[in-house]
Amino acid sequence: MGNESSSPVDEATPPARLHGRTVEAVAQYIKEKEVKNIVVMTGAGISTSAGIPDFRSPETGLYANLARLKLPYAEAVFDISYFRNNPYPFYTLAHELYPGRYRPTVTHSFISLLHKKGKLLKLFTQNIDCLEREAGVPADKIVEAHGSFATQRCIECHTEYPDDLMKEMINKKEVPHCIRGKSCKGLVKPDIVFFGEALPESFHRNRSLPARADLAIIMGTSLTVQPFASLPSLVREDTPRVLINLERVGSLGSRPDDVLLLGDCDTGVRKFADALGWRDELEELWENTNPDKRERDRQEEPLKTRQERLDEEVEKLTKDIDASLKLSGEANRRIKEELHLEQQTTSADTTNLSHVYPHLRANKSDKPCL
Ligand code: OAD
């Protein structure tokens, strides 16, 4: 594990399980073997076409463009010790990367389609942009190995910080502090794994899944950050692995059943979908993530009249009031019964307890207790 050879497999070596080292052969394998347990591993390269830069691409990557943040070294922006002293560079970046501004790519939709087809065992992602969720991959199918912007907490006392406040602070480019106020003035940080922090427990819990996969797809990652980078080597030797990436990375290409689709991810997954006969479904699924389409769908919904909406509101309020009246009546009856029992055993006067159970005073006059 981790130290397998990275030299490319000899062209003359035939694949062991596939009919060829092509995406068509992988599609055939998926169909013939009724493959259901696909493990997908992704990195920043699957989000670049959404407009989010990756980290290490020489000119366009984030680390090559952080001069404006005046960091001692590029990765300091995600370094927990640096953050404690100076959280501003991270929050400047967070303002740009915060979820909600970007649309999932067709590659995200391809992963979602694998799930819809009942073939996704697990998605391991290093990305913090939450675009997989937005594309429809359910949370329980995703291992966010480097955390995400989905939740946040104080770095000192670990008190959770509310989502709406976080959104507001990031929009205002302000640094959030613990909501416990004077008792803790800790900095708040999204639950993104910084250098120097442990990976989430879900990563370790699911780490055995690559060995159970009957196909692995690795996309848009340089496989430079451990322990994520070792995941592809945990896939069994005789299990096909597909790399869809601009460049060859890690040990991919060194095994007889490794298939390399070198190029951009979106083109790669479209080719994959063509080979599987899923292209139309893929494009349709991706179109559903288009904000213009969502807006069109919303406008096409039958418009309720103002009166209809008001009537619904009044009906809901009436039901809520009825329910709470019923609940209070029921609670009242139970407390009365309990006190009656207590009175029988202790011969105490229940009214002496009226400072503890103020509703007892109301009971005397049979008023509803709200
Ligand atoms: P990197 O920036 O290291 O690697 C991105 C990979 O995707 C490179 O191999 C690119 O060539 C490739 N790539 C870029 N755009 C692509 C495209 N459109 N189609 C196909 N391939 C493309 O990003 P990660 O591997 O995700 O950690 O980086 C791993 C970790 O390093 C990140 O999670 C982050 C960073 O420090 C933390 O934030 C803790």
Side-chain angles (χ1 to χ4, degrees), residues 111-120 136 281 284-285 288:
I111 305 168
S112 181
L113 186 56
L114 288 177
H115 163 66
K116 277 187 77 179
K117 299 274 183 191
K119 295 189 181 298
L120 182 66
E281 270 175 283
E284 197 181 319
L285 201 58
N288 288 338

Side-chain angles (χ1 to χ4, degrees), residues 339 343 348-358 360-361 364:
L339 284 171
Q343 194 186 27
D349 181 353
T350 54
T351 51
N352 290 342
L353 292 171
S354 62
H355 60 293
V356 185
Y357 300 108
L360 286 176
R361 287 190 289 265
K364 287 196 157 178

